[in-house]
Amino acid sequence: ANTVTKADDRVVGISLFPNPTSAVTTIDIQGQGMALVSILDLTGKLALKPISMSAGSQPLDISMLSPGVYFVEVKGEAAVIRKRLTVR
């Protein structure tokens, strides 16, 4: 789930773990190339400044976020993928 695949897409999926979390989550971007990672609140407002990341697993520090539900949005060259993240 939460995976978008098309022949021309470079980013084909993401996973977040642990989720829920309180300080750091690992984001695993499946595919190739660079992606812009943003964290949005439920109203769609930016909660964390967008970060440029390459494909693979990397830690994402979310310790400054208030407890609640957010969306991690990953924009690749031809796809935008959103995944829900719960901060405790």
Side-chain angles (χ1 to χ4, degrees), residues 16-27 62 84-86 88:
L16 299 169
F17 51 91
N19 185 11
T21 187
S22 58
V24 175
T25 189
T26 297
I27 182 166
I62 48 127
R84 194 174 144 135
L85 173 67
T86 303
R88 286 196 276 233

Side-chain angles (χ1 to χ4, degrees), residues 5-10:
T5 29
K6 292 183 190 146
D8 59 344
D9 287 352
R10 294 188 172 220

Side-chain angles (χ1 to χ4, degrees), residues 29-57:
I29 302 173
Q30 292 104 42
Q32 298 163 2
M34 297 298 292
L36 192 62
V37 177
S38 305
I39 297 186
L40 311 169
D41 65 17
L42 287 177
T43 67
K45 199 168 69 181
L46 267 179
L48 203 60
K49 190 174 82 161
I51 306 162
S52 185
M53 291 186 166
S54 57
S57 292

